[in-house]
Amino acid sequence: MCGFTYSVIVIAIDSVCNVSESAIIQLESVPCVPKLIETNVQCESGAVAVSWEQSKGAHYYTVLAQGSGGYESTHNSSKASFVFDQLLCGLSYTITVSASDDSCTSAESNAKQINTVPCIPQRTTAEMLCSTNTGLVSWEEEDSVSGYLVKAAGPDGHMIQCSSSRSSCQLTNMHCGQLYNLTVTPVDDRCDISNAYLNLQSVPCSPTNVKASLQCHSSSIAVTWERASGAFSYDAVAFTSTGHQIQCNNTETFCDLSDLLCGQTYSISVSANDETCESLKSDAAVVQSAPCTPQNVHVEIQCASSSMVVSWSPNPDAERFHVEALSHTGALLKCDTDDTRCIFTNLICGQRYNITVVSVRGGCESKPSPVNVASSAPCVPENAKGSLDCVTNDAWVTWDISEGALSYTVLAEEAGGHQVVCNSSSSTCNVRELKCGTLYTFYVNSINEYCHSIHNTSSFDLETGPCALSSISAVVECHTNTILVEWEKTSNVPFYLVTAEGDDKTIINCNSSSTTCSLEDASCGMHYSIIVSSSSDKCNSLRSPPKSIYTAPCVPKNVTAIPLCEEKGAVVHWAPSTVPTTYHLTAKSFDGHVKTFNTTVNNLNLAELHCSQLYRIDITATTANCTSNPTVVPFRTVPCEPTGLKVDMQCETNSAVVSWDVRPGSVEYIASAESQNGDKLYCESFGTSCTIQGLECGSIYNFTVEGSNGICNTSLSEPLQDGAVPCPPNIVKVRMQRIKNKHWVMISWNPISCPDVEYLAAITGHIQDSPEALMDISSYWLPRPYFEFPIPCSTVYNLTVRSRNAAGAGDPSSLFGGTTVPCPPQNVKYSGSQSMLSWDTSLFATKYTVYSVGADRVELCNTTGLSCTLTNLDPATTEVTASNDVGESIPTSAITASKRRRRDLRDSEIFGTSGIDFSIPAEVTVIVKRTSLHVKWALVGGATQYVVLIEEPQNGKDAEQIYKTVDKLSYVESNLKPGTTYSVRVAAKNTTGQSEYSEPIWITTDALK
């Protein structure tokens, strides 16, 4: 039976019944299996207490808690109870107990199932559903929890709660303007202590006691109210019956509504806001805005009666109207009426009035109507007089400036009814084309846009000179400044005097006894009046009628070309000609582009010129018979738009370096980044790059650049779209962990400060350092900053992490490289009376450990070599592991016996060669340099790597080995012991196996001097 101590005696009996009795041996049976297992969760601490009935024969007990997620916890106890205080929350554990003495362990007890305390709810959030004043509380749901309870307590004492078996619930009928304290508790019918705490601000209360008053002078409404609980700010909104809306906001309890429409009735309400929600609107206040400005104001000047009539459209919103007419001399005329017109009489001549009309209701006036300008009749000109120019037969008339006149008309009238009119905007006028030998009466009238003055009663008379000679002809000789004049010969006139008077009153003349004469030094672009007379007394002698002629046009002067940036051209100006002229303009660029134009005015717009080109602009002037020499001016066009746009996003500084190619003509560049919502950021540079700061992580931008020559900006470059993607994460921690018989690598990193970021981890490597066994694994995109990968043993790996959001995926992080836990040692064998235990090398192992795994796990041997000598070896309870800085391998417990002695084993058996048909490396040489060994060997066909084994014999003990795998034909081992003898051997290997080792080379390092 279990748990008993038996006394064992062996009696030998033969056929004659002689009895021989052995010595008594005490033998203990296996301890009894523990019974009556009881488990209990301690709510306050979260620990699990386990108790059971004492088992006969038990010296101690082993308590195992096996979690549902693969997590386990094992502890020994000398008592019939144990408390687990490190179990994970929210998991279901299976509890078993086994009893042990010094030799044996009982079977496990019946399993007891228990759930640990629920975990504190994670990722708890609370938000208001503003329209219903309902709080939505959510959390991350746990599989082991049957339900959740949410309690809310407000500062006014109001308490509400909700419950749910899912990941959220809603708190209804919350009081307005309260900051509620929330508690989220998982419910499991045992322990309700795993609370999560958070706050939730309910919808603000509606403002009360809203008052509104019209501010007539500023055309605004002043609104006030009382402070509302829970409000951070307020919005006041005013509506009209026609749908017009205006609003203002403030953190205080007042604001002004501006931009009112006139003649409207406004309904004003106020709502309160916090960071999330808006309250219900307050009760409305009603205000009527100021009356509208009078429309369609019309002014009529009645010249004959010296009066002015002002009228406007009816306005039902006004009680009366006020009209003002302010003259330029400061005189003010006023009129108040409830009609739609006012009449001002007895106006003074020459007055200019600014007329405005306002609507009036109560004490509030509308804005004045737009100013209407009108003038009374101009005053009559005074002191009119004139003189006769006998060369041109023109009359030069002058007078005094009259008040209110914009222009003047001079009328020359003869007795027979012939009239000549001259118009002028100044106080002089040259009356042309008068008849010879005729008496004219001259009248001067003043004019403005409304009226004429009456005829001047103090008119004056002039008589023109006689015309006895016949008509003449005149021809301009182009480019010679000469006018050739011809006439018919008159009897009894031996001598003729030719006189030409220009519009600038300059005179040139010549004389002749024949019928032709040349006038020299005529001015270009001038109108001349020419007469031929018989003496120098031109008014009284015989004379011809005047002959008008225009000289050759002048070369265009004062030519300027002003850039037209938007039209990619220029506007060209030059001095106007005093004679009727046609201009011909040619623009030609260095790249062969030509544009030609003809015009009669002194300016021209050139558009769509080639960018970044130097143009030659030629302008000539042409009259009826002559063309001037050209005027030449150079002009540089708008620079071409930049090309070669590139963007280098700088996620660490939320900036972008924008670069482009240089373009001729640009001296400065402006780069911009426009987000999808229209916001723009800029940078400027005199070079070919600049940095745009302030980019928002997660936004997509259209990048453009434009150049400038200091006057015009170029067209925008072709846009380049790029996203402000998140930075590569920094890998903070890489940890290996063992779960059952597998190793996992846990990667974690710092979250990126950027909205809606997801991460992807990737791991690559060579399994067991083989170039033909590649590993390439990636996670899926997740918002959490960690991930786990199952990973093979003895593997070199590289880890990277990328981040992404709406703007795109960022660059991978810097490589994080490492090696994994070594693989379990293979081909573990024991032999000899001293139990020599040996094994094959494990890649990347730095040491090996041998354990006894009987009642307790006890370390038997720890070595950097490939064997250990043990006493009392029990292969059934022995296991071997390989270790490095990363961790310890899965143990190898498959140990086989070898009938040969250790020293008889071939190297290929000790070191795990597979007997493949590999050549042993030849030409092995070893050179000593102080305490370093330089090993070289010849190439072996089919080998991808080589194994170098360096051993140091130690007085009959197993050799200590240095075991290195390399992929070259040489190896250097440094920092060996000075004055020490080593053996060196080399083997070839690939992924399928390894050759035998070469013959050992014995060599001694240099001794210290």
Side-chain angles (χ1 to χ4, degrees):
M1 295 179 64
C2 65
F4 282 87
T5 302
Y6 291 88
S7 297
V8 179
I9 301 172
V10 180
I11 301 173
I13 304 174
D14 60 12
S15 58
V16 189
C17 295
N18 289 334
V19 177
S20 176
E21 185 176 286
S22 69
I24 299 173
I25 297 175
Q26 299 290 327
L27 183 64
E28 293 183 351
S29 63
V30 176
C32 293
V33 175
K35 296 181 179 180
L36 301 178
I37 310 300
E38 297 290 338
T39 58
N40 180 45
V41 175
Q42 298 175 353
C43 293
E44 291 300 323
S45 64
V48 174
V50 185
S51 62
W52 54 89
E53 189 180 64
Q54 290 278 359
S55 297
K56 281 184 173 292
H59 293 178
Y60 64 92
Y61 302 91
T62 300
V63 189
L64 172 65
Q66 182 68 50
S68 56
Y71 304 98
E72 66 176 41
S73 180
T74 305
H75 296 274
N76 294 331
S77 174
S78 59
K79 299 184 294 185
S81 65
F82 184 76
V83 176
F84 287 98
D85 56 3
Q86 297 295 326
L87 297 185
L88 300 178
C89 63
L91 289 180
S92 176
Y93 281 87
T94 300
I95 310 293
T96 58
V97 185
S98 60
S100 301
D101 58 13
D102 292 336
S103 301
C104 297
T105 300
S106 72
E108 291 183 343
S109 66
N110 292 330
K112 192 78 172 182
Q113 200 81 15
I114 189 169
N115 292 330
T116 55
V117 295
C119 296
I120 294 174
Q122 299 297 308
R123 301 182 187 275
T124 54
T125 60
E127 59 179 322
M128 286 301 300
L129 303 177
C130 302
S131 60
T132 59
N133 198 18
T134 297
L136 175 62
V137 186
S138 58
W139 52 86
E140 192 174 71
E141 192 174 353
E142 292 286 343
D143 293 337
S144 61
V145 177
S146 60
Y148 295 85
L149 177 64
V150 179
K151 294 182 179 180
D156 62 351
H158 181 236
M159 300 186 70
I160 50 176
Q161 66 180 39
C162 65
S163 60
S164 173
S165 61
R166 297 187 177 275
S167 60
S168 65
C169 72
Q170 293 185 0
L171 296 167
T172 58
N173 300 320
M174 300 179 74
H175 288 185
C176 67
Q178 300 294 308
L179 180 62
Y180 281 85
N181 293 321
L182 307 184
T183 304
V184 183
T185 305
V187 179
D188 68 347
D189 299 328
R190 294 175 300 127
C191 298
D192 297 338
I193 62 165
S194 303
N195 298 326
Y197 302 96
L198 62 164
N199 295 325
L200 179 60
Q201 178 71 49
S202 64
V203 175
C205 296
S206 298
T208 57
N209 198 22
V210 176
K211 297 180 179 179
S213 60
L214 177 65
Q215 307 296 307
C216 192
H217 64 283
S218 62
S219 188
S220 62
I221 298 175
V223 188
T224 62
W225 56 87
E226 292 185 0
R227 190 171 297 278
S229 178
F232 291 171
S233 63
Y234 303 89
D235 289 331
V237 181
F239 292 90
T240 68
S241 59
T242 59
H244 179 247
Q245 175 183 327
I246 53 175
Q247 64 182 36
C248 62
N249 55 66
N250 202 347
T251 56
E252 302 297 332
T253 58
F254 58 86
C255 71
D256 290 342
L257 293 164
S258 56
D259 298 325
L260 303 179
L261 296 182
C262 63
Q264 298 289 321
T265 300
Y266 282 91
S267 178
I268 300 122
S269 59
V270 183
S271 59
N273 303 284
D274 60 15
E275 293 178 342
T276 307
C277 293
E278 181 180 13
S279 72
L280 297 175
K281 295 189 181 301
S282 67
D283 294 336
V286 177
V287 171
Q288 191 172 16
S289 61
C292 291
T293 300
Q295 300 297 308
N296 301 320
V297 176
H298 177 68
V299 179
E300 180 186 357
I301 299 294
Q302 297 179 346
C303 301
S305 60
S306 298
S307 60
M308 177 172 61
V309 179
V310 183
S311 61
W312 54 89
S313 298
N315 184 356
D317 190 47
E319 297 173 352
R320 55 192 177 86
F321 302 92
H322 178 69
V323 185
E324 288 187 352
L326 179 64
S327 78
H328 69 283
T329 60
L332 179 62
L333 308 179
K334 295 183 179 181
C335 173
D336 285 287
T337 180
D338 56 5
D339 197 359
T340 58
R341 64 195 302 246
C342 267
I343 301 176
F344 296 94
T345 58
N346 299 319
L347 299 179
I348 300 174
C349 71
Q351 297 296 301
R352 191 167 187 83
Y353 293 98
N354 289 336
I355 300 109
T356 57
V357 186
V358 296
S359 303
V360 182
R361 189 189 64 244
C364 190
E365 292 185 351
S366 71
K367 292 181 179 179
S369 65
V371 173
N372 274 257
V373 178
S375 299
S376 61
C379 296
V380 174
E382 301 289 342
N383 296 322
K385 55 188 176 182
S387 60
L388 184 64
D389 184 338
C390 295
V391 174
T392 61
N393 223 24
D394 297 343
W396 187 255
V397 182
T398 63
W399 58 90
D400 294 342
I401 293 291
S402 59
E403 196 73 31
L406 298 179
S407 62
Y408 301 89
T409 298
V410 178
L411 174 64
E413 187 176 19
E414 64 157 330
H418 177 250
Q419 293 182 337
V420 180
V421 176
C422 176
N423 296 311
S424 174
S425 58
S426 64
S427 61
T428 62
C429 197
N430 192 24
V431 183
R432 297 176 180 275
E433 299 180 359
L434 297 176
K435 292 181 180 181
C436 300
T438 304
L439 179 64
Y440 285 91
T441 300
F442 290 82
Y443 304 93
V444 182
N445 292 321
S446 57
I447 304 170
N448 62 19
E449 62 266 54
Y450 302 99
C451 298
H452 287 253
S453 66
I454 61 174
H455 269 329
N456 189 346
T457 54
S458 57
S459 58
F460 65 92
D461 295 333
L462 277 179
E463 184 175 1
T464 59
C467 296
L469 296 178
S470 61
S471 60
I472 62 176
S473 65
V475 177
V476 172
E477 295 182 357
C478 301
H479 307 297
T480 63
N481 299 328
T482 301
I483 302 173
L484 178 61
V485 184
E486 297 180 337
W487 59 91
E488 293 181 0
K489 187 171 180 64
T490 302
S491 58
N492 302 320
V493 179
F495 180 82
Y496 298 91
L497 179 64
V498 180
T499 304
E501 182 177 340
D503 283 346
D504 61 352
K505 299 303 179 182
T506 59
I507 293 177
I508 56 176
N509 50 51
C510 64
N511 53 68
S512 175
S513 58
S514 65
T515 59
T516 63
C517 188
S518 292
L519 295 169
E520 305 291 343
D521 298 323
S523 297
C524 64
M526 180 66 69
H527 171 258
Y528 281 96
S529 292
I530 304 172
I531 64 169
V532 179
S533 61
S534 59
S535 71
S536 59
D537 185 359
K538 302 175 185 64
C539 290
N540 296 317
S541 66
L542 295 176
R543 47 169 278 168
S544 68
K547 175 66 176 181
S548 292
I549 193 171
Y550 293 98
T551 57
C554 297
V555 174
K557 296 180 180 180
N558 301 328
V559 180
T560 59
I562 301 172
L564 293 175
C565 302
E566 296 299 325
E567 291 83 356
K568 299 180 181 178
V571 56
V572 184
H573 289 271
W574 54 90
S577 173
T578 57
V579 299
T581 307
T582 298
Y583 300 95
H584 179 75
L585 183 148
T586 301
K588 184 176 182 179
S589 68
F590 277 15
D591 66 355
H593 182 233
V594 177
K595 282 202 168 189
T596 59
F597 301 91
N598 291 313
T599 181
T600 58
V601 295
N602 65 318
N603 60 82
L604 188 67
N605 285 7
L606 302 176
E608 300 301 325
L609 301 180
H610 290 187
C611 61
S612 295
Q613 289 292 314
L614 182 63
Y615 276 79
R616 169 191 167 116
I617 298 176
D618 293 1
I619 305 175
T620 58
T622 302
T623 58
N625 299 314
C626 295
T627 298
S628 72
N629 292 321
T631 297
V632 179
V633 293
F635 173 72
R636 175 77 66 176
T637 55
V638 175
C640 295
E641 64 189 46
T643 58
L645 179 63
K646 297 178 183 177
V647 176
D648 183 12
M649 304 298 292
Q650 306 289 315
C651 64
E652 298 86 354
T653 57
N654 289 331
S655 62
V657 177
V658 186
S659 60
W660 52 88
D661 296 336
V662 69
R663 294 306 299 266
S666 291
V667 297
E668 184 180 10
Y669 298 89
I670 302 171
S672 67
E674 182 176 7
S675 66
Q676 291 178 319
N677 62 10
D679 294 335
K680 279 191 175 183
L681 300 170
Y682 298 91
C683 67
E684 298 179 4
S685 174
F686 293 103
T688 57
S689 67
C690 66
T691 301
I692 297 179
Q693 305 283 355
L695 300 180
E696 184 176 343
C697 182
S699 295
I700 296 176
Y701 292 87
N702 283 324
F703 291 89
T704 55
V705 65
E706 59 182 342
S708 174
N709 59 5
I711 301 174
C712 290
N713 292 343
T714 68
S715 300
L716 292 175
S717 66
E718 286 295 323
L720 178 62
Q721 190 174 87
D722 204 349
V725 298
C727 287
N730 292 321
I731 298 179
V732 175
K733 186 175 182 182
V734 175
R735 178 170 57 90
M736 293 290 175
Q737 60 183 13
R738 176 182 167 186
I739 300 177
K740 294 186 177 179
N741 288 328
K742 290 184 179 180
H743 280 93
W744 293 68
V745 59
M746 166 71 84
I747 316 158
S748 61
W749 53 87
N750 288 328
I752 302 299
S753 178
C754 190
D756 303 323
V757 177
E758 294 180 318
Y759 305 93
L760 181 140
I763 183 168
T764 60
H766 294 89
I767 298 174
Q768 297 190 17
D769 205 24
S770 170
E772 298 179 1
L774 300 179
M775 173 181 64
D776 190 348
I777 310 171
S778 62
S779 68
Y780 25 85
W781 290 100
L782 289 171
R784 69 189 190 197
Y786 61 89
F787 200 80
E788 288 179 312
F789 289 104
I791 192 163
C793 57
S794 294
T795 296
V796 177
Y797 66 86
N798 286 312
L799 285 169
T800 59
V801 182
R802 298 179 70 192
S803 56
R804 76 174 184 185
N805 58 13
D811 295 329
S813 64
S814 299
L815 284 175
F816 183 94
T819 57
T820 63
V821 172
C823 290
Q826 300 297 308
N827 200 20
V828 180
K829 297 180 180 181
Y830 69 93
S831 64
S833 59
Q834 294 299 311
S835 298
M836 175 75 73
L837 192 66
S838 64
W839 52 86
D840 291 350
T841 185
S842 182
L843 188 62
F844 302 132
T846 58
K847 68 177 182 178
Y848 301 89
T849 307
V850 182
Y851 295 95
S852 172
V853 289
D856 293 307
R857 194 170 193 254
V858 179
E859 182 180 306
L860 302 179
C861 173
N862 189 317
T863 181
T864 59
L866 299 176
S867 63
C868 277
T869 301
L870 306 171
T871 58
N872 300 323
L873 175 66
D874 181 1
T877 61
T878 302
E879 61 186 25
V880 184
T881 64
S883 303
N884 59 16
D885 292 339
V886 181
E888 191 172 25
S889 73
I890 304 297
T892 297
S893 56
I895 301 175
T896 60
S898 175
K899 295 181 180 179
R900 290 175 293 171
R901 293 175 298 168
R902 164 87 174 168
R903 70 188 65 217
D904 295 330
L905 293 174
R906 295 181 307 163
D907 289 335
S908 61
E909 292 172 326
I910 294 174
F911 296 107
T913 61
S914 61
I916 63 172
D917 189 17
F918 258 159
S919 297
I920 298 173
E923 301 178 22
V924 179
T925 61
V926 182
I927 299 174
V928 175
K929 292 184 179 179
R930 296 186 180 180
T931 58
S932 299
L933 296 182
H934 295 248
V935 188
K936 295 184 178 179
W937 56 90
L939 178 71
V940 176
T944 58
Q945 292 179 310
Y946 298 89
V947 180
V948 180
L949 180 63
I950 302 174
E951 296 179 291
E952 174 195 357
Q954 292 184 345
N955 299 325
K957 297 182 181 180
D958 285 348
E960 289 188 4
Q961 296 125 345
I962 299 172
Y963 180 87
K964 297 292 183 181
T965 300
V966 298
D967 54 9
K968 300 185 294 184
L969 298 178
S970 63
Y971 174 72
V972 177
E973 179 65 35
S974 302
N975 299 320
L976 297 173
K977 296 177 183 178
T980 304
T981 299
Y982 292 91
S983 73
V984 180
R985 289 182 285 173
V986 182
K989 66 177 289 187
N990 62 17
T991 57
T992 61
Q994 178 178 311
S995 75
E996 293 185 3
Y997 282 89
S998 62
E999 290 296 322
I1001 296 177
W1002 298 89
I1003 198 161
T1004 304
T1005 57
D1006 295 338
L1008 291 176
K1009 295 181 180 180

